[in-house]
Amino acid sequence: PGPLWAGTTPDSLPDMDEPDAGPVEQPKPVIPAASDLLRDYSEWDPRITDVRGTPTSDPDELPLEALPLDRRYTFESFVTGPANQFARAAAQSVAAQPGGAFNPLYIYGHTGLGKTHLLQAIGHQCTDAGLKVAYITAEAFTNEMVRAIRSRETEAFRARYRQVDVLLVDDIQFLAGKSATEEEFYHTFNAIYAHGGQIVVTCDRQPRAISGLDDRLRSRFEGGLVVDIQAPAEETRRAILKAKAAAQQITLPDDVADLLARQPINSVREIEGVLLQVLARATLTAQPVSIGLAQLVLDKMSLQPRRTTDLSHVLEATAKYHQLSLDDLMSKRRTKAIVRARHIAMYLAREETEATLPQIGAALGGRNHSTVLHGYQKIADEVAGDDDLRREVSDIRRQLYVQN
């Protein structure tokens, strides 16, 4: 995607698929390949704006593929914890006083931790203050620059970026090793900085760790405020889950929030994904959001460390819990209590052991694999909505690992 220019909407931008209309078709000039232009700075020098030839467009007509800032990404919706509070404070300071002490602002951290959220929150606040904001990814900046070179529109391209009040660039690491793009961005950076504008970039690592990055850009980034975002702690994950559910007008039970927050998840994006799975299953199956439903989702997603046990332990623990003998489980008897225990044994054997369906069936008195699959599916379908059944399964599962 290309940049967002404050005050524009997708409908107001030119349609790139529509050819220019004209009464007479003019001969097309022979234009060198973009790769040739990128190597030849006599043809295109980012230090100057006097480009050979006449630009075909003014800055407001350069073709773009604009996407709006996401309205969900505001400071109000950003959940703060010890791992991100300094980054949030820095972002708010920049949004309140762009071009001030923290220029540039460089935010780094692993993917899915909220860097883009803070970047766009700055964009929203600055746009609301009447400033001209450009938001773009480093990859899109590169692609648009090449397109501008091909179409002889470099002057319009530069005017668009160098005249903004606030430039927001996501994933700046993608500039590394692209010498022509780095050169252009370096002079764009200098132009914005010189007229008092603000630059904010995000990255997945700190400046000194970006292999192949131009030393001048590295120096510019390190000359500003460099802040990091770490993975959220359990309490922050819990707050994120509560906030995301509330945004959908859903009250997340405390025990469900606690269970989900305890999972080994280090990305905010993953946290949102797990919550979505739970809420979607509750909605589509017309069940309440419960700890049983959440546990079922977690089991299917395999988020919890995988533990295994022996098939014999599963049968023994299940029989003992229901005060039955192993012979009862393996027999042909079909009383309600025995059938229920037998189905639970089939479910746990498949969930907690590496045994195949035929092996489970053989251990349960020579039953075939379709019978085992039916018993497993019956428990799997009922465990989320039946609190008593869920407690039985959880208690037996706990005993398996106490024994082992």
Side-chain angles (χ1 to χ4, degrees), residues 149-185:
I149 296 171
R150 284 200 179 109
S151 58
R152 304 279 187 169
E153 293 174 325
T154 51
E155 189 172 347
F157 171 80
R158 289 182 190 131
R160 276 189 170 276
Y161 286 104
R162 298 186 186 188
Q163 295 174 10
V164 300
D165 300 307
V166 180
L167 177 62
L168 310 171
V169 185
D170 225 343
D171 295 324
I172 199 69
Q173 69 270 14
F174 288 111
L175 291 188
K178 301 179 177 70
S179 58
T181 310
E182 288 179 306
E183 184 78 15
E184 173 62 28
F185 186 79

Side-chain angles (χ1 to χ4, degrees), residues 261-306:
R262 287 196 300 270
Q263 303 311 306
I265 303 173
N266 292 322
S267 163
V268 175
R269 200 168 293 142
E270 287 183 67
I271 294 171
E272 293 176 345
V274 172
L275 178 63
L276 175 62
Q277 293 284 340
V278 172
L279 298 183
R281 182 171 285 272
T283 300
L284 296 177
T285 60
Q287 298 181 60
V289 178
S290 66
I291 194 167
L293 182 67
Q295 184 66 61
L296 179 63
V297 169
L298 293 175
D299 289 344
K300 289 182 177 296
M301 295 180 72
S302 300
L303 282 176
Q304 301 180 94
R306 179 69 175 169

Side-chain angles (χ1 to χ4, degrees), residues 48-65:
I48 60 176
T49 56
D50 182 15
V51 183
R52 186 182 303 176
T54 303
T56 59
S57 302
D58 64 43
D60 292 330
E61 294 176 351
L62 193 64
L64 301 171
E65 297 176 6

Side-chain angles (χ1 to χ4, degrees), residues 34-181:
S35 58
D36 294 333
L37 290 178
L38 293 178
R39 289 193 296 267
D40 183 6
Y41 277 90
S42 65
E43 185 70 32
W44 174 68
D45 188 337
R47 294 170 294 181
I48 60 176
T49 56
D50 182 15
V51 183
R52 186 182 303 176
T54 303
T56 59
S57 302
D58 64 43
D60 292 330
E61 294 176 351
L62 193 64
L64 301 171
E65 297 176 6
L67 289 176
L69 291 171
D70 193 325
R71 263 296 163 192
R72 296 173 301 170
Y73 293 159
T74 64
F75 287 120
E76 291 73 22
S77 63
F78 188 83
V79 179
T80 307
N84 61 25
Q85 60 185 3
F86 183 54
R88 175 185 177 143
Q92 286 183 305
S93 177
V94 163
Q97 191 177 6
F102 306 138
N103 195 19
L105 174 61
Y106 185 103
I107 307 172
Y108 75 94
H110 291 301
T111 184
L113 296 181
K115 302 186 300 295
T116 298
H117 191 139
L118 286 179
L119 196 65
Q120 293 203 25
I122 293 170
H124 283 304
Q125 185 166 324
C126 290
T127 299
D128 292 344
L131 299 178
K132 187 174 183 180
V133 176
Y135 167 71
I136 193 170
T137 66
E139 183 181 15
F141 182 89
T142 301
N143 293 339
E144 193 170 323
M145 187 193 78
V146 172
R147 186 168 61 234
I149 296 171
R150 284 200 179 109
S151 58
R152 304 279 187 169
E153 293 174 325
T154 51
E155 189 172 347
F157 171 80
R158 289 182 190 131
R160 276 189 170 276
Y161 286 104
R162 298 186 186 188
Q163 295 174 10
V164 300
D165 300 307
V166 180
L167 177 62
L168 310 171
V169 185
D170 225 343
D171 295 324
I172 199 69
Q173 69 270 14
F174 288 111
L175 291 188
K178 301 179 177 70
S179 58
T181 310

